[in-house]
Structures are given as C-alpha cells and as structure tokens.
Amino acid sequence: MAENGIRKESLEADIARYIAILEKDPSSTVFAPLAESFRRLGRLDEAIKASIEGLKIHPGHLSARVALARAYYDKKFFKEAMAEIEDVLRAAPDNILAQRLLKDIEAATMNQTTGTVNAQIAEVEREGEGQWPSGDDRFYTLTMAEILEKQGFKKDAVRIYHALLKKGDHNSSIIGERLNRLKGGVVR
C-alpha cells in the first residue's frame, strides 16, 4: 500500500510515465522519482535497481542517493542505507532529508542491536544462578562485569551489562561483543 495516503493508482501512473521517459532517453534523471515511486508502493527491489542503474549514469545525483538509502532502510539493509546517506552528507551536509534519515538509521540500528542483546541476555540468564547482589548498582561498571565474567559468574556479568545498556552506556558495541562471547560459552 502506498504511504501517506498517496493513491496507488497515481503512483502506478507516475511509474508508467517515468518508464516511458527512460525508454526514450535512458540518460534521463527521472530514475530518481521512479525509484521513489517504487519505494512508496513497497516495491523495494525495483526501487533499488532503478536507483543503482541511474546512479551509474548520474553518480552525483543526491536525491537519487537519498531514494536509494530510503529503499535500503525500508528493506532493513541499514549498512547500505548508512553508506548512501554518508555520501549524501559529505556532498551536502545541510541536506535535511539525509540528516533525518541518518537519525532514523541510527535509531533502527540501535533498536536492532538492543533486541539482539536482550535475547542474548535472556539466554545467558537461563544458564545459572547469580551470586552478585541485585539492586545495588554502584559497582555496575564494565570493569566489574569483566571481573565477574573472569570468575565464571556469567549471570552476574550479564546483569551488569544489561543494567549498563538500560542506563544508555555509550559502550554498547563492547557490551554486545562481551555478551556474544558469553553466549558462545567462552569466558576469559
């Protein structure tokens, strides 16, 4: 279904018109609105293909790069979306659409990471009994979690890592790596 109440029929008509223009002039820049129309209809693979093909001829076309990034984002290809948006922002740091999409990508990536980490936490917590007293978070640091992990207290280390993530600790990538290690059963 089309986004923002835009009628599907209108988008289909736009797509037909853009394709006709491209058939007459393959170097036309209508590939960008074509890609965006495909994206709005949820035809993400076609949006990506149209963008990539057009960008081969017009590599500096920034709105086409934004359209491609949006299609990648909608498809949850966040790494590819980020690469396109970074290219746009290097060329046009004031591009508001690119700035907004960058924030959306960062938020989605964080949510994706948090969901994975939460699943890992739940799995590791099922493995054994904790020894570390809960409730007192004064010592909830990466260092303390590492010490507990080295001593074999996985559940306690996981509890601390989880608390740090909830507090918005900026070391989420380090915490994710350590939780991955715990999930794999490798405790150093």
Side-chain angles (χ1 to χ4, degrees), residues 26-160:
S27 66
S28 171
T29 59
V30 299
F31 73 93
L34 172 64
E36 185 60 19
S37 296
F38 279 140
R39 186 194 70 79
R40 287 182 174 185
L41 284 174
R43 294 164 58 179
L44 302 178
D45 291 333
E46 291 168 286
I48 291 168
K49 181 179 179 187
S51 295
I52 289 172
E53 290 301 313
L55 286 167
K56 287 178 184 175
I57 299 169
H58 303 282
H61 196 299
L62 297 182
S63 64
R65 292 210 176 274
V66 172
L68 177 57
R70 290 176 75 176
Y72 280 143
Y73 174 83
D74 288 352
K75 201 161 172 140
K76 299 191 184 336
F77 290 0
F78 300 126
K79 181 179 176 184
E80 292 84 353
M82 181 68 81
E84 292 301 326
I85 286 303
E86 287 173 346
D87 285 348
V88 171
L89 289 172
R90 270 192 290 279
D94 295 334
N95 186 309
I96 293 171
L97 285 176
Q99 291 172 1
R100 286 183 189 156
L101 187 54
L102 175 65
K103 288 179 183 176
D104 290 345
I105 294 166
E106 289 171 343
T109 303
M110 181 59 80
N111 289 340
Q112 191 177 50
T113 301
T114 301
T116 302
V117 168
N118 286 339
Q120 292 169 346
I121 289 169
E123 185 175 324
V124 174
E125 283 181 339
R126 289 189 295 268
E127 290 181 3
E129 295 297 318
Q131 303 296 321
W132 188 257
S134 61
D136 183 5
D137 67 354
R138 290 178 294 155
F139 300 105
Y140 280 24
T141 65
L142 283 174
T143 303
M144 182 56 72
E146 186 176 68
I147 290 168
L148 290 168
E149 186 179 339
K150 286 180 181 177
Q151 291 176 351
F153 297 108
K154 289 182 182 182
K155 184 175 180 180
D156 297 320
V158 167
R159 183 183 301 131
I160 291 174

Side-chain angles (χ1 to χ4, degrees), residues 15-32:
I15 288 171
R17 190 174 70 248
Y18 297 142
I19 289 173
I21 292 169
L22 282 171
E23 286 173 350
K24 290 179 185 173
D25 180 9
S27 66
S28 171
T29 59
V30 299
F31 73 93

